[in-house]
Amino acid sequence: MENQEFAEIRKKLSKTQKEIAILLGVSLKAICSYEQGWRSVPGHVERQLLFLLSRKHQSNQLNCWEIRKCPDEKKRKCPAWEFKSGEFCWFISGTICDNTVYGSLDEKLTICKDCEVMKKIK
């Protein structure tokens, strides 16, 4: 996540740097560093920030498997479907996006950024 994107999401959440630091469980200095581009935003912080954004702006969102039109055999193997979490597919590691299971959170979030499910959240 780029520093400008981090700051934009914080503003969409209507939070000060201090308030978002408390919500994310990091220091105010870390938030300042993310927004200035001095430090990269860790995957776990990015995921938490996106979760807060998804909850703030929830709508009648469809499940990811409906949006992506996944066939039944793919759905049955996917943790998002197993745990009935289609609006949180980006939050769950091990989902089967692009017919690949991404092991690391950073790899997964990179793929999710271009996904139509994530675009509905942002």
Side-chain angles (χ1 to χ4, degrees), residues 68 70 74 77-79 94-101 108:
R68 297 181 59 89
C70 294
K74 184 177 177 180
K77 295 177 185 176
C78 186
T95 56
I96 307 170
C97 303
D98 301 331
N99 294 318
T100 304
V101 176
K108 177 168 179 47

Side-chain angles (χ1 to χ4, degrees), residues 47-65:
R47 188 163 72 164
Q48 267 186 291
L49 187 69
L50 292 170
F51 174 78
L52 294 172
L53 183 64
S54 74
R55 298 291 71 200
K56 177 95 175 187
H57 300 292
Q58 53 177 314
S59 60
N60 295 332
Q61 187 171 354
L62 295 172
N63 291 309
C64 60
W65 54 83

Side-chain angles (χ1 to χ4, degrees), residues 13 22-26 42-54 90-91:
L13 293 171
I22 292 167
L23 283 170
L24 297 175
V26 298
H44 69 281
V45 171
E46 179 178 357
R47 188 163 72 164
Q48 267 186 291
L49 187 69
L50 292 170
F51 174 78
L52 294 172
L53 183 64
S54 74
W90 52 271
F91 192 82

